[in-house]
Amino acid sequence: PGRLDVHLVSNGMLLDGEFARFARRTKLWISLSTDGDPRAQDQTRPAADGSPTSPGVERALAALGAARSPFNTYSVITPDNVAHVARSADWLFERGARLLLNTLDFGAAWTDTSLATLARQYRALARRYLPAQPEGRIGDALLRDTITQVTMDQAALDLTLARSRDGARAGHKPGPETS
């Protein structure tokens, strides 16, 4: 009671050192919305004029890191950027991001090929983030929960893809209610 937690979602284009220091001082949590490394970011999130947005993301990451301001990154995985997921996680981590949140675009046109790429990217992430004990068991409960979430994401995507195929055969166009 009496405590207010405030979170701000930003694409980082206007986030500078002064604002990052303000965020730290006021305990404002920043969620930096990005699709990852410069290649993924610029391919899927160009500016309105078509110019790259990755320099703005890099500036925002540097400002947040320098200010030691609390933040996370938030990325939406789509068929267009799925091949960049593991490399982007490395890139973000190298720039100080420690809480990387991903979600799948369940409304996108996923194919068997893009789902296979997603599976490869998840395996690549697992090799980076899930240090196995000698017996092959995962020792950290949070990491076990991560595996569970990845499995649930894959199952939901499989169901969405199956529904979209069945619906297409029946002449139905997928909408929010089927994803």
Side-chain angles (χ1 to χ4, degrees), residues 97-162:
R98 293 299 179 262
L99 181 56
L100 288 71
L101 305 176
N102 292 309
T103 190
L104 300 175
D105 181 352
F106 291 103
W110 290 91
T111 64
D112 289 335
T113 301
S114 58
L115 286 174
T117 302
L118 176 66
R120 283 192 304 276
Q121 292 296 307
Y122 274 160
R123 282 192 297 276
L125 285 174
R127 284 191 296 275
R128 290 164 171 82
Y129 297 115
L130 302 176
Q133 295 180 1
E135 308 86 47
R137 293 179 304 153
I138 297 166
D140 180 58
L142 178 61
L143 295 177
R144 281 195 305 272
D145 290 347
T146 301
I147 290 175
T148 301
Q149 183 60 51
V150 165
T151 303
M152 289 170 54
D153 284 350
Q154 181 66 49
L157 237 174
D158 289 344
L159 178 61
T160 300
L161 185 62

Side-chain angles (χ1 to χ4, degrees), residues 33-133:
S33 182
T34 176
D35 281 345
D37 71 357
R39 199 164 144 204
Q41 177 71 20
D42 295 337
Q43 176 183 335
T44 56
R45 292 194 193 198
D49 65 2
S51 63
T53 55
S54 60
V57 170
E58 288 193 70
R59 280 191 306 276
L61 285 166
L64 290 165
R68 300 184 62 216
S69 182
F71 76 97
N72 67 272
T73 61
Y74 185 83
S75 303
V76 177
I77 302 172
T78 70
D80 293 331
N81 67 15
V82 69
H84 303 282
V85 171
R87 184 178 57 243
S88 290
D90 291 342
W91 186 85
L92 290 165
F93 192 83
E94 289 165 4
R95 281 150 187 81
R98 293 299 179 262
L99 181 56
L100 288 71
L101 305 176
N102 292 309
T103 190
L104 300 175
D105 181 352
F106 291 103
W110 290 91
T111 64
D112 289 335
T113 301
S114 58
L115 286 174
T117 302
L118 176 66
R120 283 192 304 276
Q121 292 296 307
Y122 274 160
R123 282 192 297 276
L125 285 174
R127 284 191 296 275
R128 290 164 171 82
Y129 297 115
L130 302 176
Q133 295 180 1

